[in-house]
Amino acid sequence: MKHRKSIFRNFALVTQLGLSVMTPVFLCILAGYWIDEKTGLRTTFWFLLAGFFAGARNAYLMAKHTIEINRREEAKEDKADES
């Protein structure tokens, strides 16, 4: 049962990571394109870069949070094994 839980947790994590990275990129591309159409300022590239940086930040924060959760769970398991 523990193995099945791990598979589902990893699948959810990969899906969430993909969405967390791609959503800012697509939103920034759309915003840049919209601004280009309205004003002609050629901002799509800069918004694309901002989207990449936002996606990378999201991935970093998610990985950091996941590592912390795994550490806590391992500590609980170690404590339970000692008892």
Side-chain angles (χ1 to χ4, degrees):
M1 186 66 165
K2 186 175 182 180
H3 180 67
R4 178 180 267 177
K5 181 180 177 183
S6 176
I7 290 173
F8 288 128
R9 174 183 269 171
N10 289 337
F11 180 71
L13 180 64
V14 168
T15 303
Q16 185 178 7
L17 182 63
L19 289 173
S20 294
V21 171
M22 295 309 296
T23 300
V25 173
F26 286 132
L27 289 177
C28 286
I29 289 172
L30 289 173
Y33 180 76
W34 183 78
I35 290 172
D36 281 351
E37 291 295 314
K38 295 292 182 184
T39 63
L41 290 177
R42 300 275 209 206
T43 58
T44 303
F45 175 73
W46 300 109
F47 274 80
L48 175 66
L49 284 178
F52 281 136
F53 287 127
R57 180 182 177 273
N58 286 345
Y60 170 75
L61 292 175
M62 185 176 296
K64 186 176 168 183
H65 181 69
T66 302
I67 289 170
E68 183 60 33
I69 288 174
N70 287 339
R71 254 191 224 140
R72 286 184 203 154
E73 288 180 357
E74 287 176 6
K76 281 183 185 178
E77 289 175 2
D78 290 343
K79 197 173 190 180
D81 289 343
E82 290 175 0
S83 300

